[in-house]
Amino acid sequence: MVPKGIILDCLCVLLGTNLGSAIKNHIPARINQPMNVIFGLSAIAIGITSVVKLHSLPAVILAFILGGLIGEAVNLDDRIKSLFQRILERLRFPIHGDKEVYMRFYLIVTVTFCASGTNIFGAINEGISGDFTILLSKAVMDIFAATLFATTLGRAMNLIVLPQFLILCACFYGARFILPLTTEAMLQDFVAVGGLLTLVLGLSIAQIKHISAVNLLPALVLIWPSSWLFGQWIG
């Protein structure tokens, strides 16, 4: 089965990236800044609607706390940031302005496109049912988001599409193997953790509060055993 939704979403990010890179010198700051806030608030809204679908609040909280602790302990944010920075410098992509600020925002955008709850759930849903409606809706939004983000990050954002495609394809092709090992409750809790991650990204994009979303990524793995354990305990 061909991951049509994933391919479409990645193409939309590429389209938006190159469009935004081409027009970035013609977009005044008075438009750019408010749009970042709007996209951030939109991400917060998407995150909240995903969180309310949770089945076990203790399982979600446990996975989120332990995921954050593991991410902080291994310094996941700095490790991935350094990796991307070395790649950008090796490929001679220009890093505009303050390098630390640029790479922090680059990492936020990377997680937004590669590991947001909507993207991952959409890829899993398409892998299970063949329905790519969720990713189609996300692709439409990603054109505008990529265009806006590229006015700050430039053509270096093209690099993000590679991990985006690989991560979403892994979810797509792995869905049929994962499904027999999961329950509906576990899937709901997974979506809720993805929603919390999207909410954190929204806070950072809107510049309300910066929290490292990268350090929270282990929660997306930990929620499966956490939800299963609480399901066994409650059952």
Side-chain angles (χ1 to χ4, degrees), residues 61-76 212 214-219 222:
I61 292 175
L62 178 63
F64 210 62
I65 291 174
L66 290 180
L69 287 173
I70 291 172
E72 292 288 347
V74 301
N75 206 11
L76 195 59
S212 174
V214 174
N215 283 342
L216 296 170
L217 288 177
L222 293 176

Side-chain angles (χ1 to χ4, degrees), residues 14-163:
L14 283 174
L15 176 62
T17 293
N18 290 286
L19 176 61
S21 300
I23 65 173
K24 68 177 183 177
N25 294 326
H26 305 286
I27 303 295
R30 63 181 179 83
I31 295 178
N32 201 355
Q33 182 60 29
M35 289 306 298
N36 271 330
V37 174
I38 290 171
F39 273 108
L41 293 176
S42 298
I44 291 171
I46 293 170
I48 291 171
T49 58
S50 298
V51 170
V52 298
K53 297 176 183 178
L54 65 81
H55 178 265
S56 172
L57 180 60
V60 171
I61 292 175
L62 178 63
F64 210 62
I65 291 174
L66 290 180
L69 287 173
I70 291 172
E72 292 288 347
V74 301
N75 206 11
L76 195 59
D77 184 286
D78 285 345
R79 290 176 184 272
I80 296 179
K81 190 189 301 179
S82 297
L83 174 63
F84 270 109
Q85 185 173 322
R86 288 197 299 270
I87 293 172
L88 292 179
E89 290 172 347
R90 180 71 61 86
L91 296 176
R92 300 187 183 280
F93 281 115
I95 297 178
H96 306 284
D98 184 280
K99 187 177 292 186
E100 179 64 26
V101 173
Y102 180 95
M103 290 309 304
R104 180 192 297 174
F105 188 57
Y106 192 92
L107 216 54
I108 291 170
V109 173
T110 301
V111 178
T112 300
F113 289 129
C114 296
S116 75
T118 306
N119 276 20
I120 291 179
F121 178 69
I124 292 174
N125 185 67
E126 185 183 1
I128 295 171
S129 64
D131 180 10
F132 58 91
T133 306
I134 295 173
L135 285 175
L136 178 61
S137 302
K138 187 66 166 56
V140 173
M141 188 170 73
D142 281 352
I143 294 178
F144 297 99
T147 302
L148 175 66
F149 297 150
T151 60
T152 299
L153 298 176
R155 296 190 185 279
M157 263 184 59
N158 284 303
L159 181 64
I160 293 174
V161 177
L162 179 58

Side-chain angles (χ1 to χ4, degrees), residues 161-172:
V161 177
L162 179 58
Q164 178 190 14
F165 181 76
L166 294 176
I167 290 170
L168 296 185
C169 278
C171 295
F172 175 87

